[in-house]
């Protein structure tokens, strides 16, 4: 509420807030299902013990209502994270309706825990104390859908970030989406899901009767390696983008990210304090990354962000990514946020760049829904056009530690280029454009 009132999100250009799961959580710690058997609490919000109570550590019901009202007064939407796959064993649904849930033990006597794929995808439990719904029981579907409708009606929220989508059957998502349309016919409601898996599996949930979108992990898992490297080979990213446009289509609402609460903070990899192949959770406990050492790490994150903001879909800025907050895996990727005078020079620089990108995307439709044309590709250098009717945007990136100069023939008629919030030297002679890019830099230009 305070940061809304301070104008932080308006200044940054944010148009929607995704709030962590804030249903009531257990007060004690539980032993997690992994070889180290650590004791952990429900700090993340994914262990609900009540269907319609706000966890007191987030605030009160009235305070949440105030948050939504203030956000709406600033034309900012509010999405709630919603947990539909499971509850905590202390939840009244499990205590009173055991028949709504599957078994943690398989017929052969082995434990059906964290078996994410195959025949157990829809039945697996995440933890021994987190019963997973068996949605072949229609009463279970009705109860959880009714809760989602209640949250929407009670607090006027604008959508859900849906957790663990692939572990919940299509019948549930169709019932939920249909009930939302029936109960809120005038409301523009947005649902974005989280599914780790193939493009086909992810896309199977994105349709008019289920979800509006999912997170674009295909782009993320490919792009993060390139933008974190010293000299990123852009040709592989170009191939990923071309394939992604075929799978999800040139106009889509898929969420693009540079990191999330499930991933290691990108900037700690870019700063060479970690690698993506490491166990991020173990590093969180044993040897978490320290403060960012290299200014170039902020520039790499800026490049990654600029790429996301020039692609189709909806860019999602996980809190702290706008300033380059470091961190290993969960829970170290949930460090306290920093604001204002607490930011160092690199963090302030990055925040200014992210804000600039947000506002550019709002101003120029070509960045989000324009046709994509790859024009120039040479190792870490990539130039592509985004075109929407007569609006032509040139995007140029240098993902290397050296200054780069390049020239290319324009495939479309352009009489001049205008810089969009950058100071990159360029020239246009006839139909040939020449650019001079600093190390780890990007630039957007408007054709005229």
């Amino acid at each position: 509420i305070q940061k809304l009132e301070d104008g932080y999100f308006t200044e940054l250009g944010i148009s929607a807030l995704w709030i962590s799961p804030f249903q009531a959580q257990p007060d004690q710690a539980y032993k997690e299902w992994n070889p180290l058997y650590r004791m952990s609490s429900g700090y993340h919000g994914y262990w609900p013990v009540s269907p319609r109570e706000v966890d007191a550590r987030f605030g009160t019901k009235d305070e949440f209502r105030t948050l939504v009202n203030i956000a709406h007064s600033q034309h900012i939407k509010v999405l709630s994270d919603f947990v539909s796959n499971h509850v905590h064993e202390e939840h009244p649904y499990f205590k009173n309706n055991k028949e709504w849930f599957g078994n943690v033990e398989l017929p052969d006597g082995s434990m059906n825990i964290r078996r994410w794929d195959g025949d157990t995808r829809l039945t697996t439990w995440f933890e021994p104390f987190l019963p997973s719904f068996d949605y072949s029981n229609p009463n279970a579907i009705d109860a959880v859908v009714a809760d989602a409708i209640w949250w929407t009606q009670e607090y006027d929220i604008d959508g859900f970030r849906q957790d663990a989508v692939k572990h919940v059957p299509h019948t549930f998502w169709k019932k939920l989406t249909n009930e939302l349309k029936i109960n809120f016919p005038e409301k523009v409601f947005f649902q974005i899901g989280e599914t780790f898996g193939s493009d086909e599996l992810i896309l199977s949930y994105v349709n008019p009767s289920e979800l509006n979108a999912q997170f674009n992990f295909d782009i993320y898992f490919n792009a993060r390696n390139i933008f974190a490297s010293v000299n990123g080979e852009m040709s592989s990213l170009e191939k990923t983008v071309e394939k992604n446009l075929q799978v999800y289509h040139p106009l889509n609402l898929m969420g693009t990210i540079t990191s999330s609460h499930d991933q290691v903070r990108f900037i700690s990899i870019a700063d060479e304090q970690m690698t993506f192949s490491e166990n991020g959770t173990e590093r969180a406990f044993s040897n978490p990354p320290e403060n960012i050492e290299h200014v170039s790490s902020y520039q790499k994150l800026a490049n990654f962000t600029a790429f996301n903001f020039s692609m189709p879909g909806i860019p999602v800025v996980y809190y702290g990514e706008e300033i380059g907050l470091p961190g290993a895996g969960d829970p170290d990727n949930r460090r306290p946020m920093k604001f204002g005078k607490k930011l160092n020079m690199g963090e302030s620089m990055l925040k200014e760049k992210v804000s600039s990108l947000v506002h550019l995307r709002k101003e120029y439709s070509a960045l989000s829904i324009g046709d994509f044309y790859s024009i120039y590709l040479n190792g870490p250098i990539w130039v592509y056009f985004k075109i929407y009717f007569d609006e032509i945007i040139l995007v140029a990136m240098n993902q290397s530690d050296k200054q780069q100069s390049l020239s290319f023939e324009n495939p479309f008629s352009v009489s001049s280029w205008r810089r969009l919030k950058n100071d990159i030297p360029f020239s246009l002679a006839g139909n040939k454009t020449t650019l001079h890019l600093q190390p780890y830099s990007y630039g957007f230009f408007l054709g005229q």
Side-chain angles (χ1 to χ4, degrees), residues 8 21 34 51 58 70 112-113 154 162 189 195 212 286 297 304 323-324 336 353 362 367 371 387 391 417 443:
Y8 180 82
N34 57 48
F58 271 78
I70 295 175
N112 187 11
I113 299 178
E154 188 74 11
Q162 298 289 5
F189 203 84
T195 290
N212 303 95
S286 62
S297 301
F304 193 176
I323 62 170
K353 285 182 177 291
K362 288 183 175 182
L367 291 173
D371 293 330
I387 300 178
E391 187 177 277
W417 291 113

Side-chain angles (χ1 to χ4, degrees), residues 129-245:
F129 50 85
L130 295 180
S132 180
F133 281 104
D134 178 357
Y135 281 128
S136 64
N137 188 318
N139 293 329
I141 293 180
D142 290 344
V144 180
V145 166
D147 291 335
I149 298 299
W150 182 86
W151 284 102
T152 306
Q153 199 158 32
E154 188 74 11
Y155 297 102
D156 195 24
I157 59 175
D158 305 287
F160 292 119
R161 179 270 184 187
Q162 298 289 5
D163 183 55
V165 166
K166 76 174 185 179
H167 301 294
V168 178
H170 292 281
T171 51
F172 174 87
W173 300 118
K174 290 177 180 178
K175 171 76 172 181
L176 172 59
T177 300
N178 187 56
E179 288 297 318
L180 287 168
K181 290 177 179 178
I182 291 172
N183 284 273
F184 311 101
E186 304 301 322
K187 195 176 186 70
V188 178
F189 203 84
F190 182 70
Q191 294 187 88
I192 184 168
E194 171 224 36
T195 290
F196 292 99
S198 67
D199 287 337
E200 292 72 22
L201 179 63
I202 292 172
L203 190 59
S204 69
Y205 293 93
V206 181
N207 57 73
S209 64
E210 297 185 68
L211 305 180
N212 303 95
Q214 296 223 61
F215 289 99
N216 198 329
F217 289 123
D218 183 44
I219 287 281
Y220 167 71
F221 285 121
N222 284 274
R224 70 179 190 176
N225 295 303
I226 293 164
F227 287 110
S229 63
V230 175
N231 286 283
E233 176 51 65
M234 289 295 197
S235 61
S236 62
L237 184 55
E238 181 199 39
K239 292 176 183 176
T240 298
V241 169
E242 295 284 5
K243 172 177 172 286
N244 200 266
L245 291 173

Side-chain angles (χ1 to χ4, degrees), residues 248-260:
Y248 299 123
H249 306 297
L251 297 179
N252 65 70
L253 300 175
M254 303 294 283
T256 56
I257 60 173
T258 59
S259 188
S260 78

Side-chain angles (χ1 to χ4, degrees), residues 23 46-48 81-88 91 93-94 100-102 112 114-116 120-127 130-135 140 144 161-169 172-173 176 194 205:
Q23 289 175 313
Y46 292 98
W47 299 353
D81 205 310
F82 194 72
V83 184
S84 60
N85 175 71
H86 59 266
V87 297
H88 189 273
H91 197 287
Y93 287 173
F94 183 66
W100 292 1
F101 298 87
N112 187 11
R114 299 192 180 187
R115 300 193 179 194
W116 309 124
T120 56
R121 175 168 64 86
L122 295 174
T123 63
T124 192
W125 290 30
F126 287 20
E127 300 286 352
L130 295 180
S132 180
F133 281 104
D134 178 357
Y135 281 128
V144 180
R161 179 270 184 187
Q162 298 289 5
D163 183 55
V165 166
K166 76 174 185 179
H167 301 294
V168 178
F172 174 87
W173 300 118
L176 172 59
E194 171 224 36
Y205 293 93

Side-chain angles (χ1 to χ4, degrees), residues 18 20-21 43-46 81 86 116 126 161-165 167 193-196 215 217 220-221 224 257-266 274 276 278-282 284 318-319 321 327-334:
W18 155 28
S20 300
Y43 64 90
H44 38 58
Y46 292 98
D81 205 310
H86 59 266
W116 309 124
F126 287 20
R161 179 270 184 187
Q162 298 289 5
D163 183 55
V165 166
H167 301 294
E194 171 224 36
T195 290
F196 292 99
F215 289 99
F217 289 123
Y220 167 71
F221 285 121
R224 70 179 190 176
I257 60 173
T258 59
S259 188
S260 78
H261 62 295
D262 288 319
Q263 306 297 325
V264 172
R265 289 281 188 179
F266 170 84
M274 290 188 65
F276 285 118
E278 288 183 78
N279 186 317
T281 299
E282 294 310 308
Y318 177 52
Y319 93 95
E321 290 296 286
D330 196 357
D332 192 46
N333 55 12
R334 304 172 189 264

Side-chain angles (χ1 to χ4, degrees), residues 382-448:
W382 191 15
V383 178
Y384 52 90
F385 283 17
K386 295 298 297 294
I387 300 178
Y388 183 68
F389 289 94
D390 58 351
E391 187 177 277
I392 301 176
I393 303 287
L394 181 158
V395 180
M397 291 192 174
N398 175 14
Q399 186 56 33
S400 78
D401 58 356
K402 296 179 176 58
Q403 182 174 326
Q404 303 280 352
S405 296
L406 61 141
S407 298
F408 57 90
E409 295 288 333
N410 298 323
F412 303 96
S413 177
V414 175
S415 59
S416 65
W417 291 113
R418 178 164 67 86
R419 297 186 187 94
L420 298 180
K421 299 184 179 180
N422 69 72
D423 57 1
I424 295 172
F426 75 94
S427 62
L428 178 62
N431 203 38
K432 178 177 285 189
T433 297
T434 301
L435 303 172
H436 305 280
L437 301 172
Q438 293 298 313
Y440 304 118
S441 66
Y442 68 89
F444 293 181
F445 298 81
L446 177 66
Q448 297 175 323

